[in-house]
């Protein structure tokens, strides 16, 4: 009775939120339901036919979750997922409530939940996932989480309590994630990139993981892919990148439009079917057992990690590589994550950029690969963004100097951006704190038929999308 009451109260709250257009009902229903029954998510998760997958890490959770859900749904599965990106435990609960029936039961096959790093211990305890993916650990919202070492220890402690038969899938290219995996009792599945043609030789100046976690000596990086993710080793032989069992090679990048890469694995998995519930142990022979070329309409090297992680998870639970390749050709990005919109004859590309590592990669893709020259940069300091915005001085905005013909600083901290742009030698428009005026300034300076890139922190992106929705150029994010 308590669970049923919690489900009904949560569903009513979500409906009211959407009807009043005060939100998408992506978080508050979870708060209400958990106040009535604190174990409602635990109970609903037990209804799932095959179980759940959990995705965590600083960057890429929403895209990776959407990729996995897309693959499962294409195979005929009913999937529950917090698609709107509400990744605290309340958001996961709200997503489960939305899919529950009138009897308070969750009639679905799989759950795919993106989970905030700090919420991972509670999520593992309540959801009891079949697999957990850890994508990366970059400096993000220091006012909430502190340094990387503290959040890494929290994730390590959570993974130590995975249920029997569950698998951890970890990014071998991230030194802080590797440190977590090497301390686990049960060996994880490691994934990583293996194409140095798309790498650089030196760490960016704002790299977050430079030293060996064992002896403190500066790590040697033989290749750098994204942020501090790459091929690394300690000169004292105390620590090195684990050998990935899932790799992406022969990577081709085409701005924000396309990615093509070849997947290889040294693990074998169930043939056919999609009901597998645990990873198969690796075979002794290290030669690749599977190679599959993937092509999909996403851009940026950072998305190669998201696709690789989704591929690893999908193959682990029994999806055929050939099916995965065909299905991903028709994938579409989540709202604000390379979302394409048309506005007054211009093409808008909305890309969430919320910390130094993420911003540097989206700038690299927009400027170097997509040859972009029209930009709106949005910065807010609300709770969901992190209230400390000093990190903007670690973003390489200098990349825009002499290459962008318009840069609009926007958001409630637009004036901070304007100062940063001045020091970067960028000729920017006057700062605009109003989303509507910021969009108008961007459109005025962007010729018709051209693409403007909108790079924003989370709530700044929501503010701009809300303005586009108000003008009839976009759907509310909970409908995408």
């Amino acid at each position: 009775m308590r669970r049923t009451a919690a489900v009904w109260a949560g569903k009513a709250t979500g409906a009211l939120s959407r009807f009043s257009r005060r939100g998408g009902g992506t978080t508050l229903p979870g708060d209400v339901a958990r106040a009535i029954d604190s174990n409602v998510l635990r109970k609903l998760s037990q209804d799932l036919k095959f179980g759940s997958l959990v995705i965590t890490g600083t960057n890429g959770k929403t895209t990776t979750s959407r990729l996995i859900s897309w693959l499962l749904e294409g195979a005929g599965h009913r999937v529950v997922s917090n698609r709107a990106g509400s990744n605290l435990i309340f958001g996961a609960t709200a997503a489960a409530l939305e899919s529950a029936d009138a009897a308070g039961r969750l009639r679905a096959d799989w759950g795919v939940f993106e989970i905030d790093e700090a919420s991972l211990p509670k999520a593992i305890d309540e959801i009891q996932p079949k697999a957990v993916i850890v994508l990366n650990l970059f400096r993000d919202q220091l006012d909430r989480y502190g340094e990387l070492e503290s959040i890494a220890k929290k994730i390590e402690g959570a993974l130590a309590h995975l249920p029997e038969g569950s698998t951890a899938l970890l990014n071998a290219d991230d030194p802080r994630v590797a440190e977590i995996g090497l301390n686990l009792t049960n060996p994880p599945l490691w994934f990583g990139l293996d194409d140095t043609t798309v790498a650089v030789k030196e760490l960016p100046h704002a790299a977050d993981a430079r030293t060996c976690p064992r002896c403190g000596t500066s790590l040697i990086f033989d290749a750098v892919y994204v942020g501090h993710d790459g091929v690394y080793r300690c000169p004292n032989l105390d620590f090195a990148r684990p050998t990935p069992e899932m790799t992406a090679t022969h990577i081709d990048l085409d701005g924000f439009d396309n990615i093509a890469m070849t997947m290889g694995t040294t693990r074998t998995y169930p043939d056919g079917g999609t009901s597998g519930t645990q990873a198969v142990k690796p075979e002794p022979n290290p030669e690749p057992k599977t190679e599959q070329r993937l092509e999909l309409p996403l851009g940026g090297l950072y998305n190669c990690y998201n696709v690789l992680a989704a591929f690893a998870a999908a193959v682990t639970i029994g999806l055929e590589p050939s099916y995965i390749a065909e299905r991903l050709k028709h994938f579409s990005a989540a709202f604000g994550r390379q979302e394409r919109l048309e506005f007054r004859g211009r093409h808008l590309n909305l890309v969430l950029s919320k910390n130094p590592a993420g911003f540097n990669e989206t700038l690299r893709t927009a400027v170097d690969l997509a040859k972009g020259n029209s930009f709106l940069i949005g910065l807010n300091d609300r709770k969901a963004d992190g209230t400390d915005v000093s990190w903007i001085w670690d973003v390489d905005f200098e990349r825009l100097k002499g290459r962008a013909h318009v840069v609009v600083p926007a958001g409630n901290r637009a004036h901070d951006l304007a100062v940063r742009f001045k020091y970067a030698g960028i000729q920017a428009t006057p700062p605009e704190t109003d989303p509507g005026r910021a969009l108008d300034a961007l459109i005025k300076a962007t010729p018709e038929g051209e693409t403007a890139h909108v790079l924003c922190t989370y709530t700044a992106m929501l503010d701009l999308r809300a303005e586009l929705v108000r003008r009839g150029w976009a759907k509310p994010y909970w409908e995408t």
Side-chain angles (χ1 to χ4, degrees):
M1 290 295 292
R2 178 173 291 185
R3 171 164 81 165
T4 302
V7 169
W8 273 100
K11 291 173 79 70
T13 302
L16 180 61
S17 178
R18 289 185 289 273
F19 178 77
S20 64
R21 304 190 75 81
R22 293 181 178 272
T26 58
T27 300
L28 186 58
D31 291 285
V32 172
R34 293 177 71 88
I36 297 171
D37 184 353
S38 60
N39 287 313
V40 64
L41 179 59
R42 188 189 309 273
K43 295 172 182 176
L44 291 172
S45 296
Q46 292 171 356
D47 291 338
L48 293 166
K49 185 176 181 180
F50 297 125
S52 297
L53 296 94
V54 164
I55 300 91
T56 194
T58 310
N59 291 351
K61 294 185 293 293
T62 300
T63 298
T64 304
S65 301
R66 193 178 183 97
L67 284 161
I68 296 171
S69 296
W70 176 252
L71 293 171
L72 286 170
E73 288 168 346
H77 287 284
R78 296 166 297 173
V79 179
V80 176
S81 183
N82 47 342
R83 301 173 190 274
S86 298
N87 54 40
L88 300 180
I89 199 69
F90 307 103
T93 304
L97 294 169
E98 181 68 18
S99 297
D101 64 15
R105 298 288 177 179
L106 189 54
R107 310 293 184 184
D109 300 316
W110 286 96
V112 179
F113 299 106
E114 64 163 286
I115 297 295
D116 177 270
E117 306 94 289
S119 298
L120 187 63
K122 183 176 285 292
I124 287 178
D125 176 53
E126 296 188 18
I127 297 173
Q128 294 286 289
K130 299 296 183 183
V132 174
I133 300 170
V134 183
L135 294 167
N136 46 57
L137 281 176
F138 297 125
R139 177 162 38 108
D140 188 57
Q141 301 189 31
L142 292 178
D143 52 300
R144 289 175 60 193
Y145 295 143
E147 295 293 341
L148 290 183
E149 287 75 10
S150 63
I151 200 67
K153 287 298 181 185
K154 186 181 288 289
I155 293 175
E156 182 182 323
L159 294 180
H161 292 91
L162 280 175
E164 185 177 355
S166 295
T167 303
L169 292 81
L170 306 184
N171 180 3
D173 296 352
D174 190 309
R176 289 294 166 260
V177 175
E179 179 187 4
I180 292 170
L182 293 174
N183 291 331
L184 295 177
T185 302
N186 295 320
L189 183 155
W190 297 105
F191 62 87
L193 304 188
D194 192 16
D195 184 352
T196 57
T197 65
V198 295
V200 296
K201 292 295 184 182
E202 296 183 356
L203 286 170
H205 76 276
D208 302 316
R210 295 175 175 270
T211 59
C212 172
R214 303 286 171 81
C215 68
T217 303
S218 293
L219 293 170
I220 297 172
F221 280 78
D222 298 312
V224 178
Y225 292 114
V226 174
H228 56 243
D229 287 4
V231 181
Y232 51 86
R233 53 192 166 88
C234 171
N236 297 330
L237 306 181
D238 290 328
F239 179 70
R241 176 206 193 208
T243 301
E245 298 152 272
M246 287 276 186
T247 59
T249 62
H250 303 92
I251 297 170
D252 295 318
L253 303 172
D254 182 16
F256 285 107
D257 294 327
N258 295 288
I259 288 174
M261 53 189 179
T262 300
M263 299 299 186
T265 174
T266 56
R267 287 195 176 193
T268 55
Y269 298 91
D271 292 327
T274 55
S275 59
T277 57
Q278 65 182 51
V280 178
K281 297 293 184 182
E283 289 191 352
N285 185 351
E287 293 300 316
K289 302 298 181 183
T290 302
E291 281 200 356
Q292 179 67 58
R293 188 70 174 169
L294 301 183
E295 297 180 6
L296 67 163
L298 281 179
L301 186 58
Y302 56 94
N303 266 322
C304 291
Y305 280 109
N306 300 331
V307 175
L308 175 58
F311 179 87
V315 174
T316 298
I317 60 175
L319 292 176
E320 288 277 8
S322 58
Y323 158 75
I324 296 171
E326 183 60 33
R327 177 70 172 168
L328 289 183
K329 291 178 181 178
H330 310 287
F331 176 75
S332 60
F335 79 94
R337 281 81 170 175
Q338 297 186 21
E339 183 181 15
R340 318 293 173 83
L341 300 173
E342 302 296 319
F343 184 66
R344 293 183 184 171
R346 285 80 172 170
H347 311 293
L348 297 187
N349 180 32
L350 274 62
V351 187
L352 179 66
S353 307
K354 64 191 185 76
N355 51 41
F359 238 120
N360 284 335
E361 283 305 311
T362 55
L363 283 170
R364 174 187 176 188
T365 304
V367 176
D368 296 344
L369 299 178
K371 308 302 181 185
N373 53 30
S374 296
F375 292 87
L376 185 155
I377 311 293
L379 177 68
N380 279 3
D381 63 351
R382 297 175 192 153
K383 185 177 180 180
D385 308 288
T387 56
D388 181 354
V389 299
S390 61
W391 57 267
I392 63 174
W393 293 90
D394 287 329
V395 177
D396 296 329
F397 286 116
E398 285 77 6
R399 192 182 293 270
L400 296 170
K401 183 179 179 181
R403 304 174 78 175
H405 75 249
V406 58
V407 179
V408 180
N412 63 17
R413 299 298 291 266
H415 290 84
D416 296 74
L417 280 175
V419 173
R420 175 67 183 94
F421 293 159
K422 181 177 181 179
Y423 276 88
I426 299 169
Q427 295 294 322
T429 69
E432 290 287 0
T433 58
D434 179 78
R437 290 197 297 268
L439 282 169
D440 289 338
L442 178 68
I443 297 305
K444 181 179 180 180
T446 303
E448 189 170 348
E450 292 195 4
T451 297
H453 298 285
V454 181
L455 313 181
C456 298
T457 59
Y458 186 66
T459 68
M461 181 262 292
L462 291 182
D463 290 346
L464 288 162
R465 279 197 94 264
E467 178 63 21
L468 290 167
V469 170
R470 189 185 70 80
R471 298 184 185 193
W473 295 97
K475 295 181 179 180
Y477 66 86
W478 57 86
E479 295 181 8
T480 60

